[in-house]
Amino acid sequence: MKQTTYLFITCLLLQVNIFAQAPNISYGTQQTFTVGKTITPLQPINTGGPITYGTVTTFAGSGVQGSTDGNATSASFNYPFGIAIDSQGNMYVADYFYAKIRKVKTGTVTTFAGHSYGSVDGIGTAASFIEPYGLAVDSQNNVYVTDHYNIRKITPSGTVTTFAGNGTKGSLDGIGTAASFSLPYGIVIDTQNNIYVGDSGNGNIRKITPSGTVTTFAGSGIKGSADGTGTSASFNKTGSLAIDKSNNIYVLDNKIRKITPQGVVTTLIINEDKYSLANCRGIVIDASNNIYVSDKYSIQQISPQGVIRPLAGGGKNVFSDGIGTDAGFYDPSFMTLDTSNNLYVADTRNHRIRKIKTVGGYTISPELPTGLYIDSSTGVIRGVPYVASPSTNYTITATNNFGTNTTTVVISINSNLGVEDIVFKNMVIYPNPTTGEVNINNVLVEKVNVYNNVGQLVKTSSNKESTNNTSLQLNNLPTGTYYLHIDAENAHTVKQIIKQ
């Protein structure tokens, strides 16, 4: 019996020791690939501690519906939605059901503003809200709230005023309370303290200057999905918003739409083969341009290359803390990030605020050759290289809760030489960049496959006429970088083209 117990304890200690250590990774010898050919995925070997990514804990809320202040995990919320963090690290939560704005500071939850339903301005709990949804904080730590038909402002000292909106449904541009909104929802603030609001009832994006001037920034107000500039674009629904470090705005609109500071609206190309964005409710973007979206039961991460992978949540309407897909959410909505890139989620139907550790996984430097990418959770390198690249050392870093480890992998991309040099010697492709039509001249094209920058096939065109001049239409594709895989006379080549 003693010997069995000893063996059990020894095995347990060995297991704990394995898990409680930094990773130790390697990728093997130099890798050489060829332009236009899908690579055999590079799998890391890890002989150290496992890579943990997406550790979920409860930051605030007991899970009991209510509005009790107190210690973070003893306090209660009732359908939390909007969530934002100021420069001092204070968190603000739009507690929808009781129409209050709650504040979480150093582990304590208090009621910052609001006491019951209404639209009364005032100080702290003397003020009232009707339907507080989205929250955003400016550079002066003022909090802005989308509230039914108004945009409310709360100063750091708790003074609540109506910043924009006359309290009635409408779409009037104007100054302050002369303007009108229809169920504003998402809200973000740029580096110049301009406010952008997803005016969901009007189907457009409104802009509010720091002085309170309201204009329609993007969207015609007619339901649709047309890209364009300003009011020539259209949206199906203007829900949650996110903003990046360059002041580009991202809109959840069944897809993800991007709006530049100049008002140019495009649709991001996201690989949705295994996941649909149609039911997502919250969106946020980090400093590395990773996008996070929340859906019914989980949080997904979208890489800058448009690849979606699960970050946390197991697809069940349960509550549980844990790592990655072992955790559970129920109707998570708005999200925000702190300065350490920790992700905070309003877990609405669990009546809690959850915290997800996003630091960890795999990173690589410098960037891989165009067409290749690394999965930040598994470390697997895959894709189709589109351009030749000399032999280059790439440093890969793996991180878990116990430390980091780096290794180097050497990758080179060879051009696809041979008969292609003869067939495509005189080929001309123009215009490049293009706004729609592309001409491929001086070669008898058989077929062209068009891929986006994440290797997703977006268009196929066959040349049914025996002519050395081929016209390809890209009008229906969003702006961005594409790769033409051209087959001609038993030869193959890949050419990059820019769609404007």
Side-chain angles (χ1 to χ4, degrees):
M1 182 68 179
K2 290 183 178 179
Q3 186 177 11
T4 301
T5 303
Y6 174 77
L7 288 173
F8 172 77
I9 293 173
T10 301
C11 290
L12 182 62
L13 289 173
L14 287 172
Q15 186 179 30
V16 169
N17 184 56
I18 291 172
F19 280 86
Q21 59 179 299
N24 184 29
I25 61 171
S26 62
Y27 279 81
T29 58
Q30 177 168 342
Q31 307 293 325
T32 301
F33 304 113
T34 303
V35 168
K37 295 184 179 181
T38 302
I39 74 169
T40 300
L42 298 183
Q43 304 270 359
I45 299 171
N46 180 18
T47 58
I51 308 299
T52 54
Y53 193 70
T55 301
V56 180
T57 56
T58 298
F59 181 72
S62 64
V64 176
Q65 291 177 249
S67 60
T68 302
D69 292 336
N71 176 270
T73 53
S74 299
S76 57
F77 299 89
N78 204 339
Y79 292 92
F81 274 92
I83 182 172
I85 297 175
D86 69 16
S87 65
Q88 304 301 311
N90 300 306
M91 177 182 291
Y92 301 90
V93 179
D95 203 0
Y96 173 80
F97 190 84
Y98 287 117
K100 296 179 178 180
I101 308 302
R102 314 290 292 283
K103 181 177 181 178
V104 187
K105 179 179 181 180
T106 59
T108 300
V109 178
T110 57
T111 300
F112 184 56
H115 71 283
S116 64
Y117 296 99
S119 56
V120 176
D121 291 339
I123 298 176
T125 56
S128 59
F129 301 86
I130 299 176
E131 291 179 326
Y133 273 114
L135 297 182
V137 179
D138 70 12
S139 63
Q140 304 301 312
N141 290 332
N142 296 297
V143 180
Y144 294 84
V145 186
T146 56
D147 181 31
H148 196 52
Y149 297 140
N150 294 325
I151 309 301
R152 313 290 293 281
K153 176 181 177 180
I154 314 173
T155 66
S157 60
T159 299
V160 180
T161 55
T162 300
F163 186 67
N166 59 24
T168 61
K169 182 178 180 179
S171 58
L172 293 174
D173 290 337
I175 298 176
T177 55
S180 58
F181 300 85
S182 180
L183 301 178
Y185 192 72
I187 182 171
V188 292
I189 300 176
D190 69 16
T191 55
Q192 305 301 313
N193 286 330
N194 295 298
I195 301 168
Y196 300 87
V197 175
D199 199 359
S200 64
N202 287 317
N204 52 28
I205 306 299
R206 313 290 292 280
K207 177 180 179 179
I208 313 172
T209 66
S211 60
T213 299
V214 180
T215 55
T216 300
F217 183 62
S220 63
I222 300 173
K223 190 173 183 179
S225 57
D227 290 338
T229 300
T231 55
S232 67
S234 59
F235 299 88
N236 283 298
K237 61 178 184 180
T238 47
S240 295
L241 308 182
I243 192 165
D244 67 19
K245 59 187 177 183
S246 299
N247 291 331
N248 297 298
I249 299 167
Y250 300 79
V251 186
L252 272 182
D253 182 38
N254 295 328
K255 301 286 188 176
I256 296 178
R257 315 290 295 280
K258 178 181 178 180
I259 314 175
T260 68
Q262 295 74 37
V264 178
V265 180
T266 55
T267 302
L268 294 189
I269 297 176
I270 308 295
N271 188 344
E272 296 185 66
D273 289 345
K274 298 181 180 179
Y275 182 83
S276 173
L277 295 167
N279 296 317
C280 290
R281 302 180 65 188
I283 183 170
V284 71
I285 186 167
D286 67 19
S288 300
N289 288 329
N290 295 296
I291 296 173
Y292 303 88
V293 293
S294 61
D295 65 13
K296 186 72 173 178
Y297 303 120
S298 68
I299 311 299
Q300 306 286 323
Q301 184 192 60
I302 306 172
S303 72
Q305 294 78 29
V307 178
I308 303 176
R309 70 174 187 83
L311 174 66
K316 298 178 181 179
N317 59 328
V318 297
F319 163 76
S320 59
D321 289 335
I323 297 175
T325 55
D326 290 334
F329 297 85
Y330 191 9
D331 263 358
S333 54
F334 289 88
M335 299 178 290
T336 193
L337 290 155
D338 66 14
T339 54
S340 299
N341 218 46
N342 293 303
L343 181 66
Y344 296 86
V345 182
D347 194 1
T348 301
R349 287 186 181 267
N350 274 323
H351 311 289
R352 293 176 168 98
I353 307 301
R354 313 292 291 284
K355 178 180 179 180
I356 307 176
K357 184 177 180 181
T358 64
V359 176
Y362 293 83
T363 59
I364 192 166
S365 180
E367 291 187 6
L368 286 165
T370 302
L372 299 185
Y373 65 92
I374 185 170
D375 187 311
S376 57
S377 61
T378 65
V380 176
I381 297 172
R382 52 168 57 91
V384 181
Y386 297 132
V387 293
S389 175
S391 181
T392 303
N393 292 336
Y394 295 91
T395 300
I396 300 173
T397 302
T399 304
N400 66 11
N401 291 332
F402 300 98
T404 62
N405 177 246
T406 61
T407 190
T408 299
V409 61
V410 182
I411 297 175
S412 61
I413 311 297
N414 290 335
S415 61
N416 197 354
L417 300 177
V419 66
E420 289 82 359
D421 293 328
I422 300 173
V423 173
F424 298 109
K425 179 180 179 181
N426 297 317
M427 182 177 67
V428 176
I429 298 177
Y430 70 93
N432 188 12
T434 180
T435 58
E437 185 178 62
V438 177
N439 297 295
I440 306 173
N441 291 352
N442 303 332
V443 64
L444 183 59
V445 173
E446 297 165 6
K447 185 173 70 172
V448 180
N449 287 328
V450 183
Y451 291 82
N452 61 23
N453 63 354
V454 297
Q456 182 182 11
L457 179 64
V458 295
K459 184 179 178 65
T460 296
S461 177
S462 298
N463 185 12
K464 299 179 181 179
E465 300 180 7
S466 297
T467 174
N468 284 350
N469 300 320
T470 302
S471 178
L472 182 67
Q473 299 297 329
L474 304 181
N475 303 71
N476 295 328
L477 296 180
T479 59
T481 302
Y482 295 91
Y483 297 89
L484 309 183
H485 287 241
I486 304 171
D487 292 326
E489 303 176 47
N490 297 317
H492 179 85
T493 191
V494 180
K495 298 297 180 182
Q496 182 188 83
I497 195 158
I498 306 297
K499 167 71 186 305
Q500 292 182 333

